[in-house]
Amino acid sequence: MAAPAIAQDQKVLTVSSEQTTTYVRNFNPFNQTSARATTRDFIYEPLVVFNRLKSNEANYRLAESFELADDLKSITFTLRDGLKWSDGEALTADDVVFTYDYIKQFPALDFISVSAQLASVEKVDDRTVKFNLVEPNSLIANTIVGMPIVPEHIWADVADPVTFANENPVGSGPMTEITRFTPQVYEQCRNPNYWDADNLKVDCLRLPQLADNPQVLAALADGTLDWATSFIPDIDNTFVAKDPEHHKYWFTPSSLVSFQLSMVTPDENNRKAFTDVNFRRALSMLVDRQTIVDIAGYGYPLVNDDPSMLGELYASFANPEVHTQFGQYGTFDLDAGVAALDEAGYVDADGDGFRDNPDGTPIAIDIMVPNGWTDWIDAVQITTESLAEAGLNVKMSTPEEAVWGSSLIAGDYSMTLNALASAADPYFPYIRSFNPGDFGKSRFTAPHWENAEVMDLLGQYTQVKDPAEQKAIMDKLQLIVAEAMPVIPVYNSPSFYEYNTSRFTGWADADDPKYSPVVSNANPARLLQLLDLDPVE
């Protein structure tokens, strides 16, 4: 029987952390396409949350400490004393070791490709786990904590963990109990055995099904949502003005949004163009970034015209040679883009009005973005106009987000807009984008672009301690990426974060920028925000 809905006197936080036309009951923390966005962090608490807004400061959660060996070849985590799973069973080092053995046994679960970096994982005692590394890695802690820890006594009996829906999860985080679930709304309530219960003042999360940005805006404007992440057009007038005392937002530069081409697209003719750097460079020069920011983004994003992908967010790491040698390819110039296509042999060979490959085969580009993502849809429409003006055969399609994500993971698409979460160090956007070990597991590797030298340099980057050596490696990496242009940067999206102070206080904001409070499942720091909330009596 279904559990009863939350009681009237409980302190309920209404949240929108994903947009979908219907909810599917899936709380598998390894699932990258169908799991509910409140699974990681809220049901499965990380060992540590690193705060990128405070120089990667460690906020200890399931772990109370970690220590990286002097030779960078091992790292030891110590768990908190007395941890329990939500069903009351003890959470120990055995569960951590089990999880890492499990993802090695079922490689499809390893969505961050951490197994390949680990020589072994061993239990030191009930609270201590040692990770022995294949190679020295100064940044390994950030990767390890990205893998959710699951209970051995539940998952050891799961026959197929890849397809397992985990409908009634047993977790470690603050909100583990699914008290109501329908295709239109679900409710997720507090863990009766949560170790940090004294700091948790919210009893339940309510997640109403909202299909797109306009529906989120309507719920925000009428005051029914407490916490959301969504693009909101003209936010001061459409949201804040409805209740200036309580309707708030805080946007900070964050995820890189870029156009991406599948180097492994099933369309052989498109593949010829997409794997040609001259075609990618020309396409980049045909993207009107400023117009996209001004019109599609309402001026919120920050233009990213850096061919190395890094942009202003990582300005302190920038190699000035990138702009000198390749900066022209990140600049919108319709005439230059057209000339580059002509020079590379992409002309209309058959007289149908559209450019073809140099061998005469046709190019037909479908730019795919999720249904309801209105700002991205507007960005694509702006871009299709300039691409069409340059003579390219291009259209847009808008599938459901889950279909879009699956297509990017498989490389089974033509062209898309994609977002990549920001980090404290540019190593992370590079490894997340270009690691072949993540191909077929993560949409962040959607281009399926491989470069052995890039992977070698990324390996070196984590094996040195000298900042000057690290800078020299990062300088080389930027030049290689900029020259190849495997992705076409457009802008750095703001972290979309809207909140309502009428029912809860304790929100992070520009005056108290304690961490990123975005409720997206790409942001583990949302856990810290949840724990800081206090109900308004």
Side-chain angles (χ1 to χ4, degrees):
M1 294 179 62
I6 48 186
Q8 291 299 311
D9 61 345
Q10 289 184 302
K11 300 173 180 66
V12 181
L13 185 74
T14 304
V15 179
S16 175
S17 60
E18 62 178 315
Q19 296 174 11
T20 183
T21 54
T22 187
Y23 281 136
V24 175
R25 186 163 180 154
N26 187 318
F27 296 97
N28 182 333
F30 304 109
N31 186 296
Q32 295 296 290
T33 56
S34 304
R36 298 281 55 83
T38 53
T39 303
R40 293 205 301 274
D41 311 321
F42 295 148
I43 296 178
Y44 296 92
E45 186 158 28
L47 293 166
V48 182
V49 173
F50 287 100
N51 186 351
R52 65 176 179 81
L53 296 191
K54 291 191 175 179
S55 302
N56 228 24
E57 172 189 82
N59 290 262
Y60 293 100
R61 303 309 306 159
L62 294 181
E64 67 176 20
S65 66
F66 69 83
E67 184 175 359
L68 187 63
D70 290 340
D71 63 3
L72 307 181
K73 289 203 69 174
S74 68
I75 186 169
T76 302
F77 284 82
T78 301
L79 300 177
R80 293 181 183 277
D81 190 23
L83 291 175
K84 291 183 179 180
W85 293 103
S86 54
D87 63 358
E89 293 279 335
L91 191 169
T92 70
D94 289 322
D95 295 297
V96 180
V97 173
F98 166 79
T99 298
Y100 279 88
D101 288 343
Y102 203 59
I103 63 174
K104 185 164 281 191
Q105 181 185 355
F106 298 98
L109 304 181
D110 187 6
F111 58 90
I112 56 174
S113 295
V114 66
S115 293
Q117 303 177 61
L118 303 176
S120 63
V121 181
E122 59 182 281
K123 173 184 174 181
V124 178
D125 57 41
D126 280 347
R127 291 175 51 209
T128 312
V129 180
K130 184 179 181 182
F131 295 81
N132 298 300
L133 310 182
V134 173
E135 295 179 330
N137 189 334
S138 61
L139 298 175
I140 192 63
N142 296 74
T143 302
I144 286 174
V145 303
M147 182 56 62
I149 306 302
V150 296
E152 179 178 12
H153 68 282
I154 300 294
W155 288 76
D157 297 326
V158 175
D160 185 357
V162 177
T163 59
F164 179 47
N166 195 29
E167 293 185 357
N168 298 295
V170 172
S172 56
M175 297 288 179
T176 57
E177 308 305 288
I178 311 304
T179 57
R180 178 188 180 197
F181 197 97
T182 76
Q184 287 74 45
V185 66
Y186 70 94
E187 291 159 354
Q188 187 171 327
C189 296
R190 62 191 299 141
N191 176 353
N193 292 294
Y194 187 47
W195 70 271
D196 201 14
D198 289 347
N199 282 324
L200 179 63
K201 304 300 192 299
V202 176
D203 291 324
C204 296
L205 305 178
R206 176 183 285 124
L207 287 300
Q209 175 267 321
L210 299 167
D212 52 29
N213 294 340
Q215 288 189 14
V216 176
L217 170 58
L220 281 167
D222 68 19
T224 56
L225 277 179
D226 298 304
W227 190 11
T229 177
S230 177
F231 169 81
I232 302 297
D234 194 16
I235 192 167
D236 289 313
N237 290 318
T238 58
F239 170 54
V240 176
K242 304 293 183 183
D243 183 355
E245 183 182 353
H246 299 111
H247 289 188
K248 308 289 184 180
Y249 69 94
W250 177 40
F251 295 165
T252 55
S254 184
S255 304
L256 168 67
V257 174
S258 64
F259 280 111
Q260 300 185 353
L261 303 163
S262 175
M263 312 286 180
V264 295
T265 180
D267 187 319
E268 180 183 356
N269 294 330
N270 279 357
R271 195 161 64 244
K272 294 173 188 174
F274 298 170
T275 54
D276 178 5
V277 66
N278 295 310
F279 184 84
R280 298 195 296 272
R281 287 172 173 174
L283 216 60
S284 176
M285 290 189 281
L286 297 171
V287 176
D288 189 349
R289 295 165 177 79
Q290 192 61 57
T291 297
I292 289 171
V293 165
D294 292 342
I295 296 178
Y298 281 79
Y300 305 152
L302 183 68
V303 165
N304 188 330
D305 55 7
D306 180 357
S308 77
M309 300 168 46
L310 299 187
E312 287 296 315
L313 201 62
Y314 303 100
S316 62
F317 295 87
N319 179 356
E321 276 299 304
V322 167
H323 180 75
T324 301
Q325 295 185 36
F326 307 109
Q328 70 269 30
Y329 302 124
T331 302
F332 173 60
D333 187 331
L334 188 62
D335 292 338
V338 167
L341 288 171
D342 289 341
E343 185 178 348
Y346 294 94
V347 297
D348 180 5
D350 55 12
D352 66 353
F354 298 118
R355 292 179 183 270
D356 303 300
N357 281 307
D359 66 0
T361 52
I363 302 167
I365 302 174
D366 175 12
I367 309 180
M368 183 171 62
V369 289
N371 178 44
W373 293 20
T374 53
D375 51 334
W376 282 23
I377 290 170
D378 289 345
V380 170
Q381 288 174 334
I382 290 167
T383 303
T384 56
E385 291 178 12
S386 57
L387 297 186
E389 190 175 349
L392 290 166
N393 182 3
V394 60
K395 66 173 184 175
M396 176 176 66
S397 61
T398 55
E400 287 291 313
E401 180 184 352
V403 174
W404 168 80
S406 297
S407 298
L408 268 59
I409 289 171
D412 184 14
Y413 71 98
S414 173
M415 182 173 173
T416 190
L417 267 184
N418 198 3
L420 180 68
S422 57
D425 190 293
Y427 167 84
F428 293 105
Y430 280 157
I431 196 72
R432 288 167 183 162
S433 297
F434 306 134
N435 181 11
D438 284 340
F439 291 1
K441 299 177 184 177
S442 165
R443 72 172 171 87
F444 303 124
T445 60
H448 288 70
W449 178 76
E450 293 191 58
N451 186 290
E453 188 178 4
V454 163
M455 292 307 298
D456 180 58
L457 288 169
L458 287 169
Q460 293 178 38
Y461 187 79
T462 60
Q463 295 176 38
V464 298
K465 289 184 174 180
D466 181 4
E469 286 185 66
Q470 284 195 321
K471 181 178 184 341
I473 293 169
M474 188 54 65
D475 283 351
K476 285 183 186 177
L477 278 164
Q478 291 172 64
L479 283 170
I480 295 169
V481 173
E483 182 175 12
M485 212 168 196
V487 304
I488 299 170
V490 181
Y491 60 78
N492 281 92
S493 172
S495 296
F496 289 118
Y497 159 58
E498 300 90 14
Y499 58 106
N500 186 328
T501 62
S502 62
R503 288 178 289 273
F504 292 89
T505 62
W507 303 99
D509 58 22
D511 294 326
D512 187 13
K514 45 193 174 181
Y515 38 65
S516 172
V518 179
V519 73
S520 157
N521 64 357
N523 178 41
R526 62 184 178 160
L527 174 63
L528 308 180
Q529 176 62 93
L530 174 68
L531 292 167
D532 274 353
L533 295 179
D534 288 300
V536 173
E537 297 299 335

